[in-house]
Amino acid sequence: MPSLRALLSRRLRALRAMAMGSGSMGSMGSMGSGSMGSKREPVLSPSSMNAAIRRVQYAVRGPIVTRALELEQELRQGVPKPFKEVIKANIGDAHAMGQKPITFLRQVSALCLFPPLLSDPSFPEDAKARARRLLAACAGQSVGSYSASPGLDVVRADVAQFLQRRDGIPADPNHIFLSSGASEAIVTMLKLLVWGSGRSRTGVLVPLPQYPLYSAALAELEAERLSYSLAEDRAWALDLPELRRALKEGRGHCCPRVLCVINPGNPTGQVQSRECIEEVIKFAYEERLFLMADEVYQDNIYGEGCEFHAFRKVLAQMGPPYSDTVELASFHSLSKGFMGECGFRGGFMEVRNLHPEVLQELSKLVSVRLCPPVPGQILMGALLNPPEPGEPSHQQYQEEKAAVLRALAERARLTEQLLNKIPGIRCNPVQGAMYAFPSIQLPPRACAAAQAAGQPPDLFFCLRLLEGTGICLVPGSGFGQREGTFHFRMTILPPTEKLQLLLEKLGNFYTNFVKEYS
Amino acid sequence: MHRFVLAAKQAAASLGCRNPRSGGKNAALRCATSVAADGPSRGSRLPRPAREGTVRWSSAAKASPVKINEKASREKILTLESMNPLVKALEYAVRGPIVLKAGEIEKELRKGIKKPFTEVIKANIGDAHAMGQRPITFLRQVVALCTYPNLLDSPSFPEDAKKRARRILQGCGGNSLGSYTASPGINCIREDVASYIERRDGGVPADPDNIYLTTGASDGITTILKILVSGDGKSRTGVMIPIPQYPLYSAAISDLDAIQVNYYLDEENCWALDVNELRRSLKEAKAYCNPKVLCIINPGNPTGQVQNRKSTEDVIHFAWEEKLFLLADEVYQDNVYSEGCQFHSFKKILYEMGPEYYNNVELASFHSTSKGYMGECGYRGGYMEVLNLHPEIKGQLVKLLSVRLCPPVSGQAAMDVVVNPPIPGEESYSQFIKEKESVLNSLAKKAKLTEDMFNKIPGMHCNPLQGAMYAFPRIFIPSKAIEEAKVHKMAPDMFYCMKLLEETGICVVPGSGFGQREGSYHFRMTILPPAEKLKILLEKMKDFHIKFLEKYA
């Protein structure tokens, strides 16, 4: 081995030259032969890897997005395209679409991240008060220290108070776990619930269409996914008989233990009525299902007569035997609502009626990842303690919040209206959340062309749309849809004028596409 | 819970369950865990090991009784018996029962309950800022500028910090830290990481496409392991880890239902890694699983050794020869204290060994913002670099990372500062260097102090702390104490650490949480408390230890 060292500098020079030549070390693998050392079969190959991971799919960041990034790169390099920019309407990423952060939240964060700013007179006192309180809760008064694994105690207490304010139902801080976005908490909860083999393997009821985090997590955990279809002809309402059907079918081959509900719906944008929530809770009680309520879009309600009802609230109000029996985990996040702070990866979950021993197991499981990102916890702490009337930031905070929600409501209506003007496209009201999920008719010849290309027809359409217009959407097949129907998911986040333009371009493209293939 | 384990133990015994890996007296217990893992286990995998003789986490429930709803309600859907047995079997000592107990004692102190001490000192976890270390000003300036870009107009922030913040913000959608980034991280930060690695490794090239930013190093490690684990029964993936190890590894292996394959570090030889021991361990493991992965922690956690160049070469050669995927956990790369010790990255040595190695050996190396001189644990920043990964596997990796959307963006920004610090001539350079060296010099002094003090205590032996942030001394526990520990159903070193906590307020982690040779006992203690406090702490430990020896003599 020591003789190897003698060759060192020469080798390094040669390597450097090669790297420069190829422009990328990524191609090192292909060059190995003869004196450069031969390339062997790797330890980790597509055939030797974890098969469950291979089955994971995540359309929101799938091939369409990869292609969109390539197109952006090409545009930057000056490659001529029939469009000037790629519009990413594929993901609920508000700031990327130009939404401005809420000033107060960022002020509190900046103060915590760099405490010398606490003596800067340009920061308002209410932001400083929040920052001081949060810093006092961090070990060593630094956001750089680990927090307790379930999150900072004061923020968990804030969450409990927020839930009580929102629902009039008390919450126990010990039953609140801060998380790295809602996704992490959902996966953690599922991890606890999934076990058994064969017919005793855990089955999980999820809506169809669904947010692909669920299908991805279930594939990875090798759980059985049991889809219940939402009723597209009733504005994507949750249909109890369909839920019963899915459960019954599932019982034939696995052990259904969990029911996931997304309210407001992603990608479908429906807002669940109180009555429907009660029915779901009764169903979960009767059928002994663990309930998971994904409520990250709770602030995003636009439809007239629609109101958000938290599962925990309805559950508590239904009284015994439901309120003290049905096991429920509900999820919330910093990424949506009016704040749209996706990058901070902040979120929380509240559990109800969890077995005390399971609560311990949950605490243990979250301790392995040490703690949720503290800047996200800080932002959550700021969000849950907004400026009160009379405080210096109150007015600006309220204005910023209202402006975002107003704009989203306007875009929700605009999107629905404009999409429904396009013959062949039908869009349910966007009652809530951040997406339209219209059905589109695709001509048989387009379907044949898609088949020839080895793509689902709606992916084929979305790829063509991307190439032709720069508009990036996610095909319905990434979320699941009834056989023979096609959809896409589009966010309503682009600024109104841009959104209008986008919808016109989309309409024109679709019309021409249908012509081309009929 | 203990009744449960005992019952399972009897069940295991009556089933004639034998664990091929243990052979020791803990075999029954190990088997017990897997049998006790109620319900049919998936596939026909072999029973999995539990940590030897440790107090299970659930004992913490005993320490702090949870109010159980007394009212007659029906059986829960999710119970200890109906939950994922893999999660149940998982253990994580660094935040285990001793830490819960410490939390309780703190609460009691706040309530005014009298104790023989006034504060709990948490020397259980490598959490520098919690122990009073100040953040590096430049790092915080850049991250604050990114968080609240109005500050870019403030004259009180230096230009070099602003320059970096602008660059990071340009890499963010809508110039906001609040948008999702690409799943592998912000491109310009991946580029900065690649340049950093090139500089660190004396010019060995690094490709930004091989860099993935992560949520702390832990996230990178579990992600790669997740992809690697496959097979059933005898073909189930075996993962070789050092003993003692950082319990993230055993927890991840347990969670993934992979097979933990132990190789022992040589305590007599400053915890050095011995290739012959690797060979022994691999050979034995081949009888019951498919060992595919070799994990190395360098500098060592909890053991603090720094691997020399020869040993690293030997390990790479071994991985090449035996076709093992290498995981190099190098999060303590900036924490090297002993004279004559130097950090050599696996990546660098791999390249220097020539094309047969650098074209073939698959390697993932990990780094983090949590340790080093910055100690920014809360940001959950980190990265991994992969080499020789099959192109399709890279696709799978990106897909898997995309499900968690992106690593926390402020953590990515913090990582950027670590790999792209002020350079000579820049405004913040001198202050940055001053702060960095002050932290590292103080750590080096404390490492020496801790080693010296421990070695003066009778019945204690501590290897030199060549690197990282921990002492892992061996302690003599008298047989009377071992018997009493047994009565309390605790591992002897857990018993020792609980007593230490209750009598002195000092919180350290028992060696059984990391794994150790049977019959030997240790604890892990961080060297992070300020020097003055550390001295007092070490004195207290000495007094405690001597009294403990006397009491149980």
Side-chain angles (χ1 to χ4, degrees):
Chain A
M1 223 45 80
S3 61
L4 281 165
R5 244 171 278 161
L7 294 168
L8 166 66
S9 61
R10 186 161 56 86
R11 276 217 183 93
L12 275 183
R13 260 178 280 131
L15 265 174
R16 255 256 171 260
M18 267 169 355
M20 304 269 220
S22 69
S24 155
M25 285 302 300
S27 58
M28 287 292 292
S30 56
M31 74 183 187
S33 68
S35 67
M36 291 312 295
S38 54
K39 189 77 183 165
R40 316 190 293 190
E41 173 70 14
V43 178
L44 180 56
S45 70
S47 57
S48 74
M49 72 176 280
N50 184 339
I53 300 295
R54 269 186 86 81
R55 287 191 290 271
V56 169
Q57 281 187 7
Y58 194 66
V60 176
R61 297 207 156 192
I64 283 264
V65 183
T66 311
R67 182 62 194 143
L69 292 174
E70 284 169 12
L71 285 173
E72 277 187 327
Q73 188 73 27
E74 290 174 23
L75 280 174
R76 272 197 295 274
Q77 289 161 357
V79 180
K81 296 277 166 198
F83 49 87
K84 282 201 217 66
E85 60 165 340
V86 173
I87 306 177
K88 289 195 198 133
N90 61 299
I91 188 161
D93 191 357
H95 291 197
M97 285 287 114
Q99 184 182 311
K100 292 281 159 264
I102 303 289
T103 307
F104 180 76
L105 301 182
R106 292 300 188 90
Q107 285 174 331
V108 175
S109 296
L111 287 161
C112 290
L113 299 182
F114 193 59
L117 290 172
L118 285 166
S119 51
D120 184 329
S122 66
F123 281 76
E125 274 312 312
D126 46 0
K128 287 182 184 170
R130 306 297 188 284
R132 281 195 201 96
R133 174 174 172 269
L134 290 163
L135 276 176
C138 296
Q141 303 244 1
S142 168
V143 297
S145 50
Y146 292 117
S147 75
S149 299
L152 294 165
D153 277 343
V154 297
V155 180
R156 293 168 82 197
D158 289 345
V159 172
Q161 275 181 12
F162 158 77
L163 294 176
Q164 164 134 31
R165 262 197 325 269
R166 188 192 67 188
D167 302 327
I169 306 292
D172 180 348
N174 291 316
H175 294 165
I176 287 156
F177 292 79
L178 303 186
S179 59
S180 185
S183 304
E184 190 222 7
I186 293 170
V187 173
T188 302
M189 210 57 232
L190 285 172
K191 211 180 245 180
L192 280 171
L193 282 156
V194 173
W195 64 286
S197 61
R199 286 192 60 163
S200 74
R201 189 76 181 157
T202 297
V204 181
L205 287 152
V206 294
L208 183 103
Q210 52 110 27
Y211 177 57
L213 165 70
Y214 291 92
S215 48
L218 297 178
E220 186 183 321
L221 294 168
E222 299 185 69
E224 295 294 327
R225 171 155 61 115
L226 309 172
S227 294
Y228 60 92
S229 293
L230 301 173
E232 184 165 14
D233 54 355
R234 287 197 291 124
W236 298 112
L238 194 156
D239 181 37
L240 257 289
E242 164 62 9
L243 203 52
R244 282 213 174 81
R245 180 209 56 79
L247 178 74
K248 196 174 161 209
E249 235 176 77
R251 289 224 162 109
H253 61 95
C254 68
C255 178
R257 290 193 178 94
V258 192
L259 168 56
C260 299
V261 179
I262 312 176
N263 176 47
N266 175 6
T268 38
Q270 82 284 12
V271 177
Q272 213 174 346
S273 70
R274 193 198 160 94
E275 196 185 12
C276 179
I277 293 174
E278 282 182 18
E279 284 175 2
V280 169
I281 290 173
K282 279 184 189 154
F283 176 77
Y285 172 81
E286 282 156 18
E287 303 292 351
R288 294 185 50 78
L289 296 168
F290 189 104
L291 258 177
M292 290 178 51
D294 179 341
E295 302 177 330
V296 301
Y297 295 99
Q298 57 189 264
D299 289 325
N300 300 100
I301 310 283
Y302 322 116
E304 229 159 276
C306 291
E307 204 190 325
F308 169 73
H309 300 281
F311 264 81
R312 66 183 295 278
K313 177 184 82 178
V314 178
L315 177 62
Q317 290 174 349
M318 283 167 74
Y322 306 105
S323 58
D324 57 5
T325 305
V326 175
E327 293 153 76
L328 168 70
S330 342
F331 306 90
H332 195 19
S333 155
L334 280 179
S335 305
K336 311 300 170 187
F338 58 93
M339 47 288 177
E341 295 281 12
C342 315
F344 280 80
R345 313 307 302 119
F348 69 78
M349 119 173 116
E350 189 219 16
V351 293
R352 294 187 86 77
N353 291 322
L354 204 66
H355 193 292
E357 282 175 338
V358 174
L359 199 63
Q360 295 291 334
E361 293 292 323
L362 178 58
S363 304
K364 178 188 74 177
L365 184 57
V366 296
S367 75
V368 180
R369 58 96 166 99
L370 296 163
C371 71
V374 178
Q377 299 188 46
I378 294 289
L379 206 67
M380 183 65 83
L383 176 74
L384 301 177
N385 286 289
E388 303 284 336
E391 285 192 306
S393 308
H394 182 256
Q395 193 186 345
Q396 189 186 355
Y397 184 85
Q398 292 302 330
E399 279 170 10
E400 288 178 357
K401 175 177 170 179
V404 171
L405 292 175
R406 209 169 36 236
L408 286 175
E410 180 188 76
R411 291 173 206 161
R413 266 189 297 278
L414 180 76
T415 307
E416 179 200 339
Q417 279 166 12
L418 291 186
L419 282 173
N420 279 327
K421 278 189 188 150
I422 308 170
I425 295 188
R426 213 192 73 75
C427 184
N428 270 323
V430 183
Q431 297 174 337
M434 296 181 166
Y435 315 98
F437 194 69
S439 78
I440 50 171
Q441 284 171 17
L442 294 176
R445 279 188 53 215
C447 296
Q451 202 177 6
Q455 291 164 356
D458 48 8
L459 173 61
F460 179 76
F461 170 76
C462 287
L463 278 171
R464 289 283 310 269
L465 177 75
L466 175 63
E467 298 289 342
T469 64
I471 300 171
C472 179
L473 310 176
V474 190
S477 45
F479 304 89
Q481 53 202 352
R482 276 198 191 270
E483 182 104 25
T485 67
F486 305 110
H487 300 77
F488 58 76
R489 186 186 84 165
M490 183 190 122
T491 70
I492 57 165
L493 294 172
T496 307
E497 284 185 18
K498 213 173 189 171
L499 183 66
Q500 210 151 2
L501 214 67
L502 181 155
L503 288 162
E504 275 167 30
K505 272 170 114 180
L506 172 64
N508 292 338
F509 181 88
Y510 174 75
T511 310
N512 290 332
F513 179 87
V514 172
K515 259 188 221 148
E516 185 187 336
Y517 285 101
S518 50
Chain B
M1 181 60 212
H2 298 301
R3 229 179 306 140
F4 160 71
V5 168
L6 281 177
K9 212 167 175 178
Q10 286 157 4
S14 66
L15 284 170
C17 177
R18 280 188 36 216
N19 186 304
R21 277 177 306 294
S22 63
K25 67 177 178 186
N26 291 306
L29 184 57
R30 288 177 169 191
C31 274
T33 320
S34 56
V35 170
D38 48 310
S41 79
R42 299 217 80 202
S44 56
R45 285 163 205 160
L46 286 158
R48 308 157 340 80
R51 186 93 328 89
E52 303 175 24
T54 43
V55 169
R56 309 257 325 188
W57 175 282
S58 329
S59 63
K62 221 172 230 174
S64 61
V66 185
K67 276 182 219 123
I68 298 174
N69 201 348
E70 293 296 332
K71 169 172 57 146
S73 69
R74 57 177 195 176
E75 172 82 4
K76 303 267 183 206
I77 296 159
L78 185 57
T79 65
L80 220 47
E81 287 68 43
S82 75
M83 68 175 277
N84 182 346
L86 299 175
V87 172
K88 197 163 52 187
L90 169 159
E91 285 171 19
Y92 194 66
V94 175
R95 296 205 156 195
I98 205 122
V99 183
L100 289 186
K101 184 77 190 166
E104 276 168 38
I105 293 179
E106 274 187 326
K107 270 186 199 148
E108 289 172 4
L109 281 174
R110 273 198 296 271
K111 279 186 204 149
I113 297 176
K114 283 268 176 300
K115 300 270 170 194
F117 48 88
T118 51
E119 62 165 338
V120 171
I121 304 176
K122 290 201 187 130
N124 60 300
I125 189 161
D127 191 355
H129 291 197
M131 285 288 115
Q133 185 182 307
R134 307 312 311 158
I136 300 289
T137 307
F138 185 75
L139 186 149
R140 290 300 187 88
Q141 284 173 329
V142 174
V143 182
L145 286 161
C146 292
T147 305
Y148 191 57
N150 290 13
L151 292 171
L152 286 165
D153 299 326
S154 161
S156 60
F157 282 75
E159 270 315 309
D160 45 3
K162 289 183 184 173
K163 196 174 108 192
R164 282 170 182 73
R166 281 196 199 96
R167 181 154 180 275
I168 293 167
L169 284 173
Q170 269 161 22
C172 295
N175 290 317
S176 168
L177 227 48
S179 45
Y180 291 120
T181 70
S183 300
I186 296 173
N187 264 331
C188 68
I189 301 183
R190 296 167 80 199
E191 283 162 16
D192 288 347
V193 170
S195 324
Y196 161 80
I197 294 173
E198 289 194 3
R199 281 197 311 276
R200 182 197 68 190
D201 292 344
V204 171
D207 181 350
D209 278 346
N210 288 337
I211 311 287
Y212 299 86
L213 301 183
T214 54
T215 308
S218 305
D219 168 47
I221 294 168
T222 45
T223 303
I224 282 285
L225 283 175
K226 220 179 243 182
I227 300 181
L228 275 159
V229 172
S230 65
D232 268 322
K234 277 186 77 167
S235 71
R236 189 74 182 157
T237 297
V239 180
M240 300 179 70
I241 61 170
I243 296 292
Q245 52 115 19
Y246 177 55
L248 165 70
Y249 290 92
S250 51
I253 289 168
S254 170
D255 193 12
L256 291 167
D257 204 11
I259 308 294
Q260 179 178 324
V261 177
N262 298 337
Y263 66 86
Y264 289 84
L265 300 175
D266 185 359
E267 183 165 15
E268 316 299 312
N269 194 7
C270 279
W271 297 113
L273 193 161
D274 175 10
V275 173
N276 291 325
E277 166 62 10
L278 284 181
R279 269 185 232 293
R280 175 208 62 80
S281 155
L282 180 76
K283 196 176 159 209
E284 279 179 27
K286 278 182 173 165
Y288 55 85
C289 69
N290 175 16
K292 272 206 307 214
V293 190
L294 172 55
C295 301
I296 309 281
I297 312 175
N298 176 46
N301 175 7
T303 39
Q305 82 286 10
V306 176
Q307 210 174 348
N308 66 35
R309 184 187 192 98
K310 168 78 167 63
S311 167
T312 307
E313 283 175 355
D314 289 350
V315 169
I316 291 173
H317 180 75
F318 175 76
W320 173 82
E321 205 173 42
E322 301 290 350
K323 299 209 61 172
L324 296 168
F325 192 108
L326 262 178
L327 296 193
D329 179 339
E330 302 176 332
V331 300
Y332 295 98
Q333 56 189 267
D334 288 322
N335 301 98
V336 175
Y337 316 117
S338 284
E339 220 151 289
C341 287
Q342 203 190 331
F343 169 73
H344 303 281
S345 80
F346 266 80
K347 159 87 182 297
K348 177 178 126 200
I349 306 290
L350 179 64
Y351 270 77
E352 292 172 1
M353 285 171 72
E356 184 52 34
Y357 297 96
Y358 70 63
N359 277 338
N360 285 310
V361 176
E362 293 152 80
L363 169 70
S365 337
F366 306 90
H367 195 17
S368 153
T369 58
S370 305
K371 311 300 169 188
Y373 54 91
M374 47 286 177
E376 295 282 11
C377 313
Y379 284 80
R380 312 309 300 122
Y383 73 77
M384 72 177 153
E385 186 193 18
V386 297
L387 276 184
N388 289 318
L389 211 61
H390 190 290
E392 269 184 60
I393 296 293
K394 268 179 138 179
Q396 295 289 334
L397 176 60
V398 172
K399 179 187 74 178
L400 188 58
L401 291 173
S402 74
V403 181
R404 60 104 165 94
L405 295 162
C406 70
V409 185
S410 29
Q412 297 188 43
M415 192 77 242
D416 189 57
V417 180
V418 174
V419 295
N420 187 17
I423 50 170
E426 283 188 312
E427 196 176 340
S428 306
Y429 179 73
S430 63
Q431 191 188 353
F432 172 80
I433 289 297
K434 216 174 95 197
E435 290 178 359
K436 172 177 169 176
E437 291 192 336
S438 142
V439 171
L440 291 176
N441 289 340
S442 139
L443 284 173
K445 276 193 205 125
K446 290 191 274 188
K448 191 79 184 81
L449 172 78
T450 306
E451 178 199 339
D452 290 348
M453 294 276 282
F454 276 147
N455 282 329
K456 279 185 199 145
I457 303 176
M460 216 183 262
H461 171 77
C462 184
N463 271 324
L465 278 70
Q466 298 172 335
M469 295 180 167
Y470 314 98
F472 194 69
R474 182 160 179 172
I475 46 175
F476 170 72
I477 298 186
S479 50
K480 269 195 189 158
I482 294 174
E483 274 160 36
E484 190 164 334
K486 245 184 222 157
V487 173
H488 289 87
K489 299 198 167 63
M490 282 187 194
D493 47 11
M494 171 67 87
F495 177 74
Y496 178 93
C497 292
M498 277 287 183
K499 284 262 175 249
L500 176 73
L501 175 63
E502 282 161 7
E503 285 171 30
T504 66
I506 300 169
C507 177
V508 298
V509 189
S512 45
F514 304 88
Q516 54 201 351
R517 286 223 183 249
E518 195 157 332
S520 75
Y521 304 108
H522 303 79
F523 61 79
R524 185 185 86 163
M525 185 192 101
T526 72
I527 55 165
L528 293 172
E532 280 314 302
K533 213 171 189 175
L534 184 65
K535 256 182 231 160
I536 298 169
L537 183 153
L538 289 165
E539 287 294 344
K540 277 172 130 186
M541 290 188 92
K542 180 178 163 190
D543 295 344
F544 168 84
H545 188 77
I546 292 170
K547 262 196 266 163
F548 185 88
L549 290 188
E550 279 165 7
K551 182 173 176 193
Y552 293 102

